Amino acid sequence: MIFRPFKSEWIKLRRRRLWYGSYGAIAGVVVMTTVVRIAGATHRVGSSGNLTLTQLARAGGLAQGVTGSTILLGAVSLSIAAAQFGGEFAHGTLRNLLVREPRRARLIVGNGLAILSFIVGAVAAATVVDIGAAFVMAHARGVTTAAWTSGTGMGDLGIAVGDMAIAVCGFAIVGMILGILLKSSVIAIATGLAVLLPVETIFTDAVPETARWLPGHLLEAVAQGGTSVAGFAAALVTVSAYLAGAVAVTLLVFARRDVTS
Amino acid sequence: MPLLAHASCGPRMPESCAVVTTGLTKRFGHRVAVDSLDLAIPEGSISGFVGPNGAGKTTTIRMLLGLMRPTAGSGTVLGYPLSQYKSYLAKVGALIEGPTFHPALSGWDNLAVLARLGGIASARIAEVLDRVGLGDRGHDPTRTYSLGMRQRLGIAAAMLPDPALLVLDEPTNGLDPHGIAEIRAMLRSFADEGRTVFVSSHLLTEIQQVCEHLVVIEGGHLVFQGSVAQLLASRAPELAVRTESPDDVDRLVALVRRHGHAATVSGRGAEATVTVSASCGWAGELNRLAMAEGMTLVHIAERHSTLEEAFFEITGSCTEESRERRTQAVHTETSDPPKVEEHTR
Ligand SMILES: Nc1ncnc2c1ncn2[C@@H]1O[C@H](COP(=O)(O)OP(=O)(O)OP(=O)(O)O)[C@@H](O)[C@H]1O
Ligand SMILES: [Mg+2]
């Protein structure tokens, strides 16, 4: 009956402010990336590393707003997920939930799936808004969009959004794990963001090869459909193994721990 | 030595108990929060669970609800062993350590979160909201609720599964006398429907009127278990005595003590009262003895112990000073006895 905790969590996710806040934040991040990238596109290949208008006009051009906002989307989803679970401890409502559903693993998995569906929904909604913004910007910069609407263009977008959804779920799972283990939204979000961003970067700055083994970088590689350091399949397999292990440990710890909040 | 007076719930009739525990113990590191607790909560009645702050009430309740693992001991709830809490919790409603909600969600939504989780029909939400008198405020965010409303919403949440056993941890905490009376009436109506109500409080007076059965704990130990009448009867009788001349007080105390009874003085001067540990059967003898020594007694009365005093006696939380204050309270006929916190060590 994984469905009961799933439906129960959705009542909390329906909160209007959470809805506007997170759907707005995710759509905002994606649209902002698209706008900045198309606005900053150059006529010729330059030293800035910006895309050129010719590159933009290719089939993959429509997807780059989504692909380009991995870190920000990851940070937002990690925070939302950590806050949902951390909040149960902070409000002292977890004990009420556990009286109605004492099967703790079932509760966590059902609630977690609801949070993932919420975040995937946010990515999908952001994509729709982003497509609109991309066409408007393309029109403004005189980029031809024929390739975007081709079969290849739509396919590329689908793959980009799918990869991003997988990566974002990974970040959200990290957030949930930290929320449960650290029993606090704020501490979980701070820890998660610190480890995934600056701490990992310290390692990759010293030895770039470590990106192949660090979860944040692996999730980023998944979102981009693979990078030069970590291929898509390898990144997906490695990070899935990490997350599966971490989820198993979390469920075990949570099932045995005294509930004191 | 705990005063164990099993009510309808003796070892011979375990089937009539909603909750039974044997040697239930919880340790946090070196601190023993609950120490070998033997509970026997009769089915279908209101049982009070009383003890000062930190006595171990919430810890006991958490163990009964599968939230904390007992360090030692065993027990049954609704006939199932404690370890099978997943089987019995569907028939248990609980309010643990005060009401807690998602502040941004309405009362209705907070209940809906729990109803969905427990597979309870949505129609039940309106029923329990009406039952606790929150029908008209159900759609306001709980952060706008007063403490009394939050307590009532907590009780509504506990009533959601139509429970056979209702465990309420301090539902009267922080309420005014009117609010407390309302909660008591609610508890009464729940018990009248055949539910077992197990209600904790650190103030005995808040729940004594509705409790058929009482469990008193202190420092994790069981101090008393039985009916309210048994609690009163378990207390040693006392005589309140006044002498005509205040100068005789010390002599009277010495006289009483010579005859093997304890005596304490409260009040000063003309107000001085000697409290003698003896039943009223000894009053005549005391009067004769005093007269023989040339003292005139102007007042001898058996003191009717309030439940609160019986509670102090049992928990041993009574200091000389607090006894004096209590005696004054009795004399001025204050209906509101002093609070437990003032007397705990
Ligand atoms: N999670 C915990 N870790 C360590 N000690 C704890 C924990 N929970 C409770 N205790 C200790 O156990 C003892 C009993 O606490 P408990 O909360 O059960 O008391 P209580 O009777 O409910 O008190 P109150 O009337 O204040 O609610 C206290 O000494 C408390 O400090
Ligand atoms: Mg308590």
Side-chain angles (χ1 to χ4, degrees), chain A residues 30 33-34 62-70 73 123 126-127 130 157 160-161 164 223:
Chain A
V30 174
T33 309
T34 296
L62 185 54
Q64 45 75 39
V66 174
T67 330
S69 33
T70 315
L73 286 194
V123 170
T127 305
D130 179 52
L157 179 67
V161 172
M164 175 57 71

mmCIF file with all atom_site columns, all heavy atoms in Angstrom, chain A residues 30 33-34 62-70 73 123 126-127 130 157 160-161 164 223:
data_model
loop_
_atom_site.group_PDB
_atom_site.id
_atom_site.type_symbol
_atom_site.label_atom_id
_atom_site.label_alt_id
_atom_site.label_comp_id
_atom_site.label_asym_id
_atom_site.label_entity_id
_atom_site.label_seq_id
_atom_site.pdbx_PDB_ins_code
_atom_site.Cartn_x
_atom_site.Cartn_y
_atom_site.Cartn_z
_atom_site.occupancy
_atom_site.B_iso_or_equiv
_atom_site.pdbx_formal_charge
_atom_site.auth_seq_id
_atom_site.auth_comp_id
_atom_site.auth_asym_id
_atom_site.auth_atom_id
_atom_site.pdbx_PDB_model_num
ATOM 1   N N   . VAL A 1 30  ? 15.372 27.709 -15.384 1.00 0.00 ? 30  VAL A N   1
ATOM 2   C CA  . VAL A 1 30  ? 15.518 27.199 -16.751 1.00 0.00 ? 30  VAL A CA  1
ATOM 3   C C   . VAL A 1 30  ? 15.349 28.333 -17.770 1.00 0.00 ? 30  VAL A C   1
ATOM 4   O O   . VAL A 1 30  ? 16.152 28.484 -18.696 1.00 0.00 ? 30  VAL A O   1
ATOM 5   C CB  . VAL A 1 30  ? 14.493 26.072 -17.014 1.00 0.00 ? 30  VAL A CB  1
ATOM 6   C CG1 . VAL A 1 30  ? 14.549 25.640 -18.471 1.00 0.00 ? 30  VAL A CG1 1
ATOM 7   C CG2 . VAL A 1 30  ? 14.776 24.890 -16.098 1.00 0.00 ? 30  VAL A CG2 1
ATOM 8   N N   . THR A 1 33  ? 18.317 30.650 -17.822 1.00 0.00 ? 33  THR A N   1
ATOM 9   C CA  . THR A 1 33  ? 19.457 30.076 -18.544 1.00 0.00 ? 33  THR A CA  1
ATOM 10  C C   . THR A 1 33  ? 19.266 30.233 -20.048 1.00 0.00 ? 33  THR A C   1
ATOM 11  O O   . THR A 1 33  ? 20.179 30.635 -20.772 1.00 0.00 ? 33  THR A O   1
ATOM 12  C CB  . THR A 1 33  ? 19.579 28.578 -18.188 1.00 0.00 ? 33  THR A CB  1
ATOM 13  O OG1 . THR A 1 33  ? 19.570 28.457 -16.775 1.00 0.00 ? 33  THR A OG1 1
ATOM 14  C CG2 . THR A 1 33  ? 20.878 27.998 -18.735 1.00 0.00 ? 33  THR A CG2 1
ATOM 15  N N   . THR A 1 34  ? 18.066 29.927 -20.501 1.00 0.00 ? 34  THR A N   1
ATOM 16  C CA  . THR A 1 34  ? 17.773 30.043 -21.937 1.00 0.00 ? 34  THR A CA  1
ATOM 17  C C   . THR A 1 34  ? 17.956 31.485 -22.413 1.00 0.00 ? 34  THR A C   1
ATOM 18  O O   . THR A 1 34  ? 18.630 31.749 -23.416 1.00 0.00 ? 34  THR A O   1
ATOM 19  C CB  . THR A 1 34  ? 16.320 29.586 -22.205 1.00 0.00 ? 34  THR A CB  1
ATOM 20  O OG1 . THR A 1 34  ? 16.233 28.213 -21.880 1.00 0.00 ? 34  THR A OG1 1
ATOM 21  C CG2 . THR A 1 34  ? 15.928 29.800 -23.654 1.00 0.00 ? 34  THR A CG2 1
ATOM 22  N N   . LEU A 1 62  ? 17.231 23.905 -28.826 1.00 0.00 ? 62  LEU A N   1
ATOM 23  C CA  . LEU A 1 62  ? 16.072 24.136 -27.960 1.00 0.00 ? 62  LEU A CA  1
ATOM 24  C C   . LEU A 1 62  ? 16.291 23.576 -26.552 1.00 0.00 ? 62  LEU A C   1
ATOM 25  O O   . LEU A 1 62  ? 15.732 24.070 -25.585 1.00 0.00 ? 62  LEU A O   1
ATOM 26  C CB  . LEU A 1 62  ? 14.839 23.481 -28.613 1.00 0.00 ? 62  LEU A CB  1
ATOM 27  C CG  . LEU A 1 62  ? 13.493 23.686 -27.944 1.00 0.00 ? 62  LEU A CG  1
ATOM 28  C CD1 . LEU A 1 62  ? 13.206 25.165 -27.733 1.00 0.00 ? 62  LEU A CD1 1
ATOM 29  C CD2 . LEU A 1 62  ? 12.394 23.062 -28.798 1.00 0.00 ? 62  LEU A CD2 1
ATOM 30  N N   . ALA A 1 63  ? 17.151 22.545 -26.457 1.00 0.00 ? 63  ALA A N   1
ATOM 31  C CA  . ALA A 1 63  ? 17.292 21.846 -25.179 1.00 0.00 ? 63  ALA A CA  1
ATOM 32  C C   . ALA A 1 63  ? 18.293 22.497 -24.239 1.00 0.00 ? 63  ALA A C   1
ATOM 33  O O   . ALA A 1 63  ? 18.352 22.160 -23.066 1.00 0.00 ? 63  ALA A O   1
ATOM 34  C CB  . ALA A 1 63  ? 17.712 20.395 -25.438 1.00 0.00 ? 63  ALA A CB  1
ATOM 35  N N   . GLN A 1 64  ? 19.088 23.467 -24.761 1.00 0.00 ? 64  GLN A N   1
ATOM 36  C CA  . GLN A 1 64  ? 20.218 23.865 -23.935 1.00 0.00 ? 64  GLN A CA  1
ATOM 37  C C   . GLN A 1 64  ? 19.847 24.710 -22.699 1.00 0.00 ? 64  GLN A C   1
ATOM 38  O O   . GLN A 1 64  ? 20.623 24.803 -21.772 1.00 0.00 ? 64  GLN A O   1
ATOM 39  C CB  . GLN A 1 64  ? 21.334 24.473 -24.774 1.00 0.00 ? 64  GLN A CB  1
ATOM 40  C CG  . GLN A 1 64  ? 20.904 25.466 -25.811 1.00 0.00 ? 64  GLN A CG  1
ATOM 41  C CD  . GLN A 1 64  ? 20.547 26.760 -25.154 1.00 0.00 ? 64  GLN A CD  1
ATOM 42  O OE1 . GLN A 1 64  ? 21.215 27.148 -24.221 1.00 0.00 ? 64  GLN A OE1 1
ATOM 43  N NE2 . GLN A 1 64  ? 19.489 27.393 -25.622 1.00 0.00 ? 64  GLN A NE2 1
ATOM 44  N N   . GLY A 1 65  ? 18.633 25.255 -22.686 1.00 0.00 ? 65  GLY A N   1
ATOM 45  C CA  . GLY A 1 65  ? 18.208 25.960 -21.466 1.00 0.00 ? 65  GLY A CA  1
ATOM 46  C C   . GLY A 1 65  ? 18.066 24.965 -20.324 1.00 0.00 ? 65  GLY A C   1
ATOM 47  O O   . GLY A 1 65  ? 18.456 25.217 -19.178 1.00 0.00 ? 65  GLY A O   1
ATOM 48  N N   . VAL A 1 66  ? 17.504 23.798 -20.657 1.00 0.00 ? 66  VAL A N   1
ATOM 49  C CA  . VAL A 1 66  ? 17.314 22.750 -19.647 1.00 0.00 ? 66  VAL A CA  1
ATOM 50  C C   . VAL A 1 66  ? 18.672 22.184 -19.223 1.00 0.00 ? 66  VAL A C   1
ATOM 51  O O   . VAL A 1 66  ? 19.000 22.120 -18.037 1.00 0.00 ? 66  VAL A O   1
ATOM 52  C CB  . VAL A 1 66  ? 16.409 21.627 -20.204 1.00 0.00 ? 66  VAL A CB  1
ATOM 53  C CG1 . VAL A 1 66  ? 16.323 20.467 -19.235 1.00 0.00 ? 66  VAL A CG1 1
ATOM 54  C CG2 . VAL A 1 66  ? 15.030 22.170 -20.493 1.00 0.00 ? 66  VAL A CG2 1
ATOM 55  N N   . THR A 1 67  ? 19.492 21.815 -20.215 1.00 0.00 ? 67  THR A N   1
ATOM 56  C CA  . THR A 1 67  ? 20.773 21.183 -19.902 1.00 0.00 ? 67  THR A CA  1
ATOM 57  C C   . THR A 1 67  ? 21.701 22.128 -19.152 1.00 0.00 ? 67  THR A C   1
ATOM 58  O O   . THR A 1 67  ? 22.489 21.690 -18.334 1.00 0.00 ? 67  THR A O   1
ATOM 59  C CB  . THR A 1 67  ? 21.474 20.753 -21.217 1.00 0.00 ? 67  THR A CB  1
ATOM 60  O OG1 . THR A 1 67  ? 20.473 20.455 -22.172 1.00 0.00 ? 67  THR A OG1 1
ATOM 61  C CG2 . THR A 1 67  ? 22.343 19.562 -21.001 1.00 0.00 ? 67  THR A CG2 1
ATOM 62  N N   . GLY A 1 68  ? 21.575 23.401 -19.450 1.00 0.00 ? 68  GLY A N   1
ATOM 63  C CA  . GLY A 1 68  ? 22.528 24.345 -18.872 1.00 0.00 ? 68  GLY A CA  1
ATOM 64  C C   . GLY A 1 68  ? 22.262 24.724 -17.436 1.00 0.00 ? 68  GLY A C   1
ATOM 65  O O   . GLY A 1 68  ? 23.075 25.418 -16.818 1.00 0.00 ? 68  GLY A O   1
ATOM 66  N N   . SER A 1 69  ? 21.154 24.275 -16.839 1.00 0.00 ? 69  SER A N   1
ATOM 67  C CA  . SER A 1 69  ? 20.853 24.730 -15.480 1.00 0.00 ? 69  SER A CA  1
ATOM 68  C C   . SER A 1 69  ? 20.928 23.607 -14.440 1.00 0.00 ? 69  SER A C   1
ATOM 69  O O   . SER A 1 69  ? 20.300 23.676 -13.396 1.00 0.00 ? 69  SER A O   1
ATOM 70  C CB  . SER A 1 69  ? 19.476 25.395 -15.451 1.00 0.00 ? 69  SER A CB  1
ATOM 71  O OG  . SER A 1 69  ? 18.606 24.785 -16.371 1.00 0.00 ? 69  SER A OG  1
ATOM 72  N N   . THR A 1 70  ? 21.733 22.584 -14.772 1.00 0.00 ? 70  THR A N   1
ATOM 73  C CA  . THR A 1 70  ? 21.826 21.416 -13.882 1.00 0.00 ? 70  THR A CA  1
ATOM 74  C C   . THR A 1 70  ? 22.056 21.766 -12.418 1.00 0.00 ? 70  THR A C   1
ATOM 75  O O   . THR A 1 70  ? 21.309 21.337 -11.542 1.00 0.00 ? 70  THR A O   1
ATOM 76  C CB  . THR A 1 70  ? 23.001 20.522 -14.324 1.00 0.00 ? 70  THR A CB  1
ATOM 77  O OG1 . THR A 1 70  ? 22.942 20.378 -15.726 1.00 0.00 ? 70  THR A OG1 1
ATOM 78  C CG2 . THR A 1 70  ? 22.946 19.192 -13.625 1.00 0.00 ? 70  THR A CG2 1
ATOM 79  N N   . LEU A 1 73  ? 19.158 23.616 -10.731 1.00 0.00 ? 73  LEU A N   1
ATOM 80  C CA  . LEU A 1 73  ? 17.995 22.741 -10.557 1.00 0.00 ? 73  LEU A CA  1
ATOM 81  C C   . LEU A 1 73  ? 18.272 21.693 -9.485  1.00 0.00 ? 73  LEU A C   1
ATOM 82  O O   . LEU A 1 73  ? 17.407 21.356 -8.670  1.00 0.00 ? 73  LEU A O   1
ATOM 83  C CB  . LEU A 1 73  ? 17.630 22.044 -11.872 1.00 0.00 ? 73  LEU A CB  1
ATOM 84  C CG  . LEU A 1 73  ? 16.962 22.897 -12.934 1.00 0.00 ? 73  LEU A CG  1
ATOM 85  C CD1 . LEU A 1 73  ? 16.368 22.005 -14.018 1.00 0.00 ? 73  LEU A CD1 1
ATOM 86  C CD2 . LEU A 1 73  ? 15.880 23.765 -12.327 1.00 0.00 ? 73  LEU A CD2 1
ATOM 87  N N   . VAL A 1 123 ? 9.934  20.044 -13.339 1.00 0.00 ? 123 VAL A N   1
ATOM 88  C CA  . VAL A 1 123 ? 10.858 20.088 -14.478 1.00 0.00 ? 123 VAL A CA  1
ATOM 89  C C   . VAL A 1 123 ? 10.048 20.100 -15.789 1.00 0.00 ? 123 VAL A C   1
ATOM 90  O O   . VAL A 1 123 ? 10.348 20.867 -16.714 1.00 0.00 ? 123 VAL A O   1
ATOM 91  C CB  . VAL A 1 123 ? 11.832 18.884 -14.451 1.00 0.00 ? 123 VAL A CB  1
ATOM 92  C CG1 . VAL A 1 123 ? 12.621 18.801 -15.757 1.00 0.00 ? 123 VAL A CG1 1
ATOM 93  C CG2 . VAL A 1 123 ? 12.782 19.007 -13.262 1.00 0.00 ? 123 VAL A CG2 1
ATOM 94  N N   . ALA A 1 126 ? 8.489  23.448 -16.232 1.00 0.00 ? 126 ALA A N   1
ATOM 95  C CA  . ALA A 1 126 ? 9.525  24.416 -16.586 1.00 0.00 ? 126 ALA A CA  1
ATOM 96  C C   . ALA A 1 126 ? 9.895  24.282 -18.065 1.00 0.00 ? 126 ALA A C   1
ATOM 97  O O   . ALA A 1 126 ? 10.124 25.278 -18.753 1.00 0.00 ? 126 ALA A O   1
ATOM 98  C CB  . ALA A 1 126 ? 10.754 24.214 -15.698 1.00 0.00 ? 126 ALA A CB  1
ATOM 99  N N   . THR A 1 127 ? 9.912  23.050 -18.535 1.00 0.00 ? 127 THR A N   1
ATOM 100 C CA  . THR A 1 127 ? 10.269 22.821 -19.940 1.00 0.00 ? 127 THR A CA  1
ATOM 101 C C   . THR A 1 127 ? 9.274  23.503 -20.868 1.00 0.00 ? 127 THR A C   1
ATOM 102 O O   . THR A 1 127 ? 9.662  24.149 -21.841 1.00 0.00 ? 127 THR A O   1
ATOM 103 C CB  . THR A 1 127 ? 10.292 21.303 -20.224 1.00 0.00 ? 127 THR A CB  1
ATOM 104 O OG1 . THR A 1 127 ? 11.178 20.692 -19.292 1.00 0.00 ? 127 THR A OG1 1
ATOM 105 C CG2 . THR A 1 127 ? 10.759 21.024 -21.641 1.00 0.00 ? 127 THR A CG2 1
ATOM 106 N N   . ASP A 1 130 ? 9.873  27.069 -20.823 1.00 0.00 ? 130 ASP A N   1
ATOM 107 C CA  . ASP A 1 130 ? 11.170 27.322 -21.443 1.00 0.00 ? 130 ASP A CA  1
ATOM 108 C C   . ASP A 1 130 ? 11.075 27.315 -22.968 1.00 0.00 ? 130 ASP A C   1
ATOM 109 O O   . ASP A 1 130 ? 11.704 28.129 -23.645 1.00 0.00 ? 130 ASP A O   1
ATOM 110 C CB  . ASP A 1 130 ? 12.155 26.257 -20.961 1.00 0.00 ? 130 ASP A CB  1
ATOM 111 C CG  . ASP A 1 130 ? 13.523 26.452 -21.583 1.00 0.00 ? 130 ASP A CG  1
ATOM 112 O OD1 . ASP A 1 130 ? 14.042 27.584 -21.487 1.00 0.00 ? 130 ASP A OD1 1
ATOM 113 O OD2 . ASP A 1 130 ? 14.056 25.490 -22.161 1.00 0.00 ? 130 ASP A OD2 1
ATOM 114 N N   . LEU A 1 157 ? 15.355 17.309 -27.371 1.00 0.00 ? 157 LEU A N   1
ATOM 115 C CA  . LEU A 1 157 ? 14.744 17.964 -26.208 1.00 0.00 ? 157 LEU A CA  1
ATOM 116 C C   . LEU A 1 157 ? 14.230 16.921 -25.218 1.00 0.00 ? 157 LEU A C   1
ATOM 117 O O   . LEU A 1 157 ? 14.458 17.016 -24.013 1.00 0.00 ? 157 LEU A O   1
ATOM 118 C CB  . LEU A 1 157 ? 13.594 18.873 -26.652 1.00 0.00 ? 157 LEU A CB  1
ATOM 119 C CG  . LEU A 1 157 ? 12.860 19.591 -25.518 1.00 0.00 ? 157 LEU A CG  1
ATOM 120 C CD1 . LEU A 1 157 ? 13.781 20.604 -24.843 1.00 0.00 ? 157 LEU A CD1 1
ATOM 121 C CD2 . LEU A 1 157 ? 11.595 20.284 -26.010 1.00 0.00 ? 157 LEU A CD2 1
ATOM 122 N N   . ALA A 1 160 ? 17.111 15.385 -23.407 1.00 0.00 ? 160 ALA A N   1
ATOM 123 C CA  . ALA A 1 160 ? 17.697 16.343 -22.453 1.00 0.00 ? 160 ALA A CA  1
ATOM 124 C C   . ALA A 1 160 ? 16.825 16.468 -21.213 1.00 0.00 ? 160 ALA A C   1
ATOM 125 O O   . ALA A 1 160 ? 17.316 16.449 -20.079 1.00 0.00 ? 160 ALA A O   1
ATOM 126 C CB  . ALA A 1 160 ? 17.871 17.705 -23.118 1.00 0.00 ? 160 ALA A CB  1
ATOM 127 N N   . VAL A 1 161 ? 15.513 16.577 -21.439 1.00 0.00 ? 161 VAL A N   1
ATOM 128 C CA  . VAL A 1 161 ? 14.601 16.718 -20.301 1.00 0.00 ? 161 VAL A CA  1
ATOM 129 C C   . VAL A 1 161 ? 14.596 15.438 -19.469 1.00 0.00 ? 161 VAL A C   1
ATOM 130 O O   . VAL A 1 161 ? 14.606 15.471 -18.240 1.00 0.00 ? 161 VAL A O   1
ATOM 131 C CB  . VAL A 1 161 ? 13.176 17.080 -20.784 1.00 0.00 ? 161 VAL A CB  1
ATOM 132 C CG1 . VAL A 1 161 ? 12.190 17.044 -19.628 1.00 0.00 ? 161 VAL A CG1 1
ATOM 133 C CG2 . VAL A 1 161 ? 13.173 18.451 -21.440 1.00 0.00 ? 161 VAL A CG2 1
ATOM 134 N N   . MET A 1 164 ? 17.748 15.239 -17.452 1.00 0.00 ? 164 MET A N   1
ATOM 135 C CA  . MET A 1 164 ? 17.665 16.223 -16.370 1.00 0.00 ? 164 MET A CA  1
ATOM 136 C C   . MET A 1 164 ? 16.749 15.722 -15.270 1.00 0.00 ? 164 MET A C   1
ATOM 137 O O   . MET A 1 164 ? 17.055 15.844 -14.083 1.00 0.00 ? 164 MET A O   1
ATOM 138 C CB  . MET A 1 164 ? 17.146 17.560 -16.925 1.00 0.00 ? 164 MET A CB  1
ATOM 139 C CG  . MET A 1 164 ? 16.913 18.614 -15.879 1.00 0.00 ? 164 MET A CG  1
ATOM 140 S SD  . MET A 1 164 ? 18.392 18.955 -14.920 1.00 0.00 ? 164 MET A SD  1
ATOM 141 C CE  . MET A 1 164 ? 19.347 19.782 -16.161 1.00 0.00 ? 164 MET A CE  1
ATOM 142 N N   . ALA A 1 223 ? 22.873 14.548 -16.114 1.00 0.00 ? 223 ALA A N   1
ATOM 143 C CA  . ALA A 1 223 ? 22.008 15.622 -16.615 1.00 0.00 ? 223 ALA A CA  1
ATOM 144 C C   . ALA A 1 223 ? 22.447 16.083 -18.003 1.00 0.00 ? 223 ALA A C   1
ATOM 145 O O   . ALA A 1 223 ? 21.618 16.443 -18.837 1.00 0.00 ? 223 ALA A O   1
ATOM 146 C CB  . ALA A 1 223 ? 22.020 16.792 -15.647 1.00 0.00 ? 223 ALA A CB  1
#
